[in-house]
Each structure stands twice: as structure tokens, then as C-alpha cells.
Amino acid sequence: MLRLTVLVSGGGTNLQAILDAIDSGRIRDAQVCTVISNNPGAYALERAKSRNIPAVCVSPRSFPSRKAFEDAYLAAVRESGPDLIVLAGCMVVLPEQMVRLYENRIINIHPALIPSFCGTGYHGLHVHEEALKRGVRVTGATVHFVDSGTDTGPIILQKAVCVQEGDTPEILQRRVMEQAEWLILPEAIDLIAAGRVHVEGRKVHIDDYSFG
Ligand code: GRF
């Protein structure tokens, strides 16, 4: 049984997608053991509490320095004893020590088709604003391993979503969540839990998987 620690910052719809996928059997052999938020007001914490999942808040505002926060954040993650750490709407720039300690054991969901619309400053609604500004016909979401860069780790799964006439950033964000994020993040967790995902350099191989 793969022990998951889910790191959140906001509404927690990706956490909810994971919990629903576990209930429905789309995620086998994994369980959410702890949810950790840097934001005390994150509704994701409520989603965890309603399922009696330990919900921890480590807020930067509670610490005298960035270093003190990062030390406490990493300590909370280590204490949760994760096999896999899942960034689900997590806005924290992870401590370098954490990325090193959990190499290829941290995954992130990004609301665009990396390498498009990613990197520093590209998060949440801004990603969709830029996609609409550029006039792309297709966008989507990416699940990738986290490395020392920003959205630069090996790609695990991606799913495309069509942009439609009249889309606002909010409408497009919702479609990308519904048609991509909430599907490929649980699928990636299930594949990892089944031992089918292998990182080979900068690439990821998935056993017996047909893309598309
Ligand atoms: C989502 O667009 C996700 O891709 C991004 O943060 C947004 C909110 O995620 N990382 P959630 O509802 O908190 O899971």
C-alpha cells in the first residue's frame, strides 16, 4: 500500500479527485496518510478533516524566517512517512533539501502541456490567461516528477484539452481541471503504486501503457 502525503495550498479539488479515485478503485494500492497545507484557510484541509485524514498546517507566517518555515515544512513531511509526495495545487517553492531527499518521489500537477506555459510565475489562473492571450487551440495538464527546477522534471502523463470560442480564464481552468487534471493525477498515482513507472534519465517509461 503506497503511503501518500498530499501537499496543498487552496481549494483541494485535485486532492478530492485523488480521494474519489481511491473510493472508486481507479487508484488501487495507495492511501492518503497526511495532507499538509502552507495556507491555514485552504479548503483542502477541510476535505481531509471530513475524511478523518490527518490535516497539518505549516504556515510561513508562523515562523521568524524562510529557513525556519522550510525546516518545519520538511519536518512535517518526513514525519508523515511518505512513499510518494503529491503536490496538488501546492504553491510552496519546495526546500532544496526536500527535493534531494525525495528524488523521483515527488509528483506535481501543472495546468498546461509542459513545456508550454510553465516555469516561474506560471501557476493557477495566470497559466490560462497566458494560453488565451497566445491564442492556442489546445492546452491541457501535465503530471511530472519534481526536480530542482520549476516544472522541469520528467513528464509522466499529459492530457490535451481544446480551447473553445468565448473561453474566459475561469472557464478554461475549470475545463482543464475536469477533463485533464482530475483524471491524469489519479492515474499517475495508480501507475506508480503498481510499480509501472520508471524514470530513465530525463524520460519516464511506463510498463504496458498505450498513450492516447
Ligand atoms: C489547479 O489549477 C492546479 O492545477 C494548480 O492549482 C489549481 C488549484 O488546485 N496547481 P486545487 O483545486 O487546490 O487542487
Side-chain angles (χ1 to χ4, degrees), residues 157-158 187 191 196 205-212:
L157 293 177
Q158 293 186 300
E187 184 179 10
L191 290 167
R196 293 173 54 190
H205 170 77
I206 303 177
D207 296 339
D208 310 318
Y209 192 86
S210 58
F211 290 88

Side-chain angles (χ1 to χ4, degrees), residues 13-90:
T13 64
N14 278 286
L15 167 65
Q16 192 63 53
I18 294 167
L19 296 173
D20 293 347
I22 289 171
D23 287 349
S24 69
R26 284 182 296 115
I27 291 180
R28 294 151 294 183
D29 205 18
Q31 62 181 4
V32 178
C33 297
T34 307
V35 172
I36 300 173
S37 175
N38 61 307
N39 170 14
Y43 187 67
L45 290 171
E46 300 311 313
R47 294 181 194 268
K49 290 171 185 169
S50 71
R51 307 278 294 248
N52 296 318
I53 295 170
V56 177
C57 181
V58 181
S59 168
R61 296 194 192 92
S62 306
F63 298 91
S65 69
R66 178 72 190 177
K67 173 80 168 63
F69 161 69
E70 289 190 348
D71 290 347
Y73 194 76
L74 178 52
V77 169
R78 296 185 74 169
E79 193 173 323
S80 70
D83 296 313
L84 180 69
I85 297 165
V86 182
L87 309 188
C90 179

Side-chain angles (χ1 to χ4, degrees), residues 128-180:
H128 305 290
E129 289 167 348
E130 291 303 305
L132 290 171
K133 197 183 296 180
R134 183 65 182 82
V136 295
R137 299 300 187 198
V138 174
T139 185
T142 302
V143 182
H144 63 95
F145 284 107
V146 172
D147 65 5
S148 56
T150 302
D151 303 328
T152 54
I155 291 172
I156 304 168
L157 293 177
Q158 293 186 300
K159 188 163 177 29
V161 173
C162 290
V163 180
Q164 294 177 10
E165 279 303 312
D167 272 350
T168 63
E170 292 78 6
I171 291 172
L172 184 54
Q173 178 178 52
R174 184 76 191 184
R175 187 179 312 121
V176 169
M177 284 177 164
E178 288 174 344
Q179 296 184 10

